Amino acid sequence: MSRHNEWILILDYGSQFTQLIARRLREFNIYCEIHPFNVNLEEVSIPVPKGVILSGGPKSVNEIDAPYLQKDIFKWNAPVLGVCYGLQLLAHTEIPGSVEQAEKREFGRAHLKVDNSEDLLKDVKDESVVWMSHGDHIHELPSSYEIIAHTSNAKVAAVRHKENHVYGVQFHPEVAHTECGKQVLKNFALDICGLSGDWTAASFIDEQVQYIRKKVGKHKVLCALSGGVDSTVVATLIHKAIGDQLECVFVDNGLLRKNEFNEVLDLYIKDLHLPVRGVNASDLFLSRLEGISDPEEKRKIIGISFIDVFEKEIGTDSGFKYLAQGTLYPDVIESVSFKGPSATIKSHHNVGGLPEKMKLDLIEPVRELFKDEVREVGRELGIPDHFISRHPFPGPGLGIRVLGELSKDRLDLLREADAIFIEELKKQELYHDVWQALVVLLPIQSVGVMGDERTYEFTVAIRAVTSVDGMTADWAHLPNTFLAHVSNRIINEIKGINRVVYDISSKPPATIEWE
């Protein structure tokens, strides 16, 4: 990563909320990175972080295999904040056995009683609600620390070191349920660590332009455009840095939405002036996907086909040294998390085998960013808002929204239904109220009646979710009248569909996509 000069290191001890710490700090224009608790500290010491946060975690500090504290972080003389498990780790490291199982565990809301409202708890309201999640508690606080807050069940809810800038909180300031949580993190980052909070979309662009120019030199970069926000922002950013040393390829794989290939290609050429090559390879993709029903097999065929298309297009050009991809920060975190690589729910779509096959090095300029931050960078780069605000669209496209066997006829049915759904969301000003909206063609045919005729046609499921970054999502509570209108249009206008259902599943336990 091209690290910002002012940054905070978050050491991950396995909490489900660790990413939220990063999200909250980013809201204050503070650059931060999440690394496993056992990261090689030399790798994260250039430049030395201005602060360190120890996350929560599911273990007890007394377990034999409990994640440990690397004491060398104190050599940096940077302020440290322990959160939940992180606080207990600070106490346990100084006095082994100082943490024990609590008689009364605290899970959920508690009222924080502030004993000292200086530095860390400045402007934190007494008796404000905080979110607790711990079964252990500190029964013996090291003499070098003092208590600065407590709750009715926990005598140690927040502490600070008497001499050094080391702090700890037993509650989770990063979750929305903690009323003054943002204030606590702001106090730590801006006041105690002394960060200026100047990491903005504009500063990110300036840093990346310099970084890309230095990294690429006089070589050429290939960018695989998907038509989505991430790859478009990547291409625009790299083009700003190196101009026509960049070449983009946008492939029509036959799995895009209605009219999408031509509309997006026009945007790339006429509005963004990107050096882009449009390739119609829909026949190749569809011939390989015909009759395939297994979702993982679909993804692999699509990935391999992209590689073949790219090889054909630029395989004889030896000037390319780099492949640009729109990898985001959640992908990076999950690949090096405390818990190890996550179990494969679905294969991540990118141009998987291309770098190895064509001997290209990867360049991933937005790998430091969350999805909403990528959008901010896109706006700063001048990409039209109607494009930046588009819902996420999966790399395999409609190929994973036709459940069961793929065929051109089924894809065309889905394309028409999808177009109606998106059109109505925009027309009734609901499009920007949801994070992602989609239609899924089910491998189910059911009996219907149209006029005096019996029909036996397909069912589609429509889905809309609300979210911040897609990591968790709730189903969108769209008006019943709107859903009825969309259903009526789809059934009346598309021959081959006679039933529409609405998906009301949240993520987790469901995923946003069906395959």
Side-chain angles (χ1 to χ4, degrees), residues 11 15 22 31 52 73 84 114 121 125 136 176 182 193 199 221 267 270 298 328 335 355 411 435 437 450 487 511:
L11 291 176
S15 169
Y31 181 65
V52 180
I73 63 170
C84 198
V114 178
L121 301 184
K125 186 175 63 175
D136 288 353
K182 287 186 179 181
C193 297
W199 190 71
V221 178
L267 171 88
K270 296 178 181 177
K298 289 178 186 177
L328 299 187
S335 68
L411 283 164
W435 161 266
M450 291 188 179
S487 174
T511 54

Side-chain angles (χ1 to χ4, degrees), residues 47-263:
V48 170
K50 299 288 187 182
V52 180
I53 295 179
L54 315 175
S55 84
K59 293 270 191 178
S60 166
V61 294
N62 295 312
E63 294 181 38
I64 294 175
D65 60 345
Y68 54 87
L69 177 66
Q70 297 193 67
K71 294 183 182 180
D72 282 354
I73 63 170
F74 297 114
K75 293 179 180 178
W76 294 332
N77 292 318
V80 175
L81 172 63
V83 175
C84 198
Y85 181 92
L87 162 61
Q88 294 174 5
L89 195 57
L90 290 169
H92 176 76
T93 301
E94 193 161 328
I95 305 179
S98 61
V99 177
E100 65 181 11
Q101 190 170 353
E103 289 183 15
K104 289 185 177 180
R105 299 182 302 167
E106 276 193 308
F107 293 98
R109 290 175 176 83
H111 292 275
L112 188 72
K113 302 178 191 298
V114 178
D115 300 309
N116 189 320
S117 58
E118 297 173 3
D119 48 29
L120 187 69
L121 301 184
K122 185 185 73 174
D123 297 329
V124 172
K125 186 175 63 175
D126 192 37
E127 295 287 343
S128 62
V129 171
V130 294
W131 189 260
M132 294 287 195
S133 180
H134 64 100
D136 288 353
H137 76 145
I138 298 172
H139 71 88
E140 182 182 359
L141 189 68
S143 59
S144 54
Y145 289 86
E146 62 180 331
I147 296 171
I148 57 176
H150 66 282
T151 70
S152 57
N153 283 335
K155 67 177 183 179
V156 180
V159 305
R160 70 177 179 186
H161 198 279
K162 294 176 182 177
E163 297 179 3
N164 304 321
H165 287 303
V166 181
Y167 302 82
V169 292
Q170 187 59 73
F171 56 90
H172 286 275
E174 68 272 25
V175 303
H177 302 300
T178 297
E179 288 180 337
C180 295
K182 287 186 179 181
Q183 185 64 46
V184 172
L185 292 173
K186 184 179 181 182
N187 290 340
F188 178 73
L190 297 183
D191 296 344
I192 295 170
C193 297
L195 274 72
S196 56
D198 63 350
W199 190 71
T200 61
S203 69
F204 172 82
I205 291 168
D206 290 341
E207 289 172 2
Q208 282 297 320
V209 164
Q210 296 304 317
Y211 173 74
I212 292 165
R213 285 175 181 166
K214 183 178 179 181
K215 182 179 178 72
V216 171
K218 296 181 180 180
H219 296 289
K220 291 172 67 177
V221 178
L222 172 68
C223 183
L225 286 167
S226 68
V229 173
D230 303 336
S231 64
T232 302
V233 170
V234 164
T236 308
L237 179 59
I238 294 176
H239 190 240
K240 180 180 176 69
I242 61 171
D244 288 346
Q245 287 172 253
L246 170 73
E247 184 163 345
C248 304
V249 177
F250 179 38
V251 177
D252 182 357
N253 57 6
L255 306 171
L256 299 175
R257 288 173 161 167
K258 187 176 181 180
N259 301 325
E260 185 166 28
F261 181 70
N262 291 329
E263 290 173 1

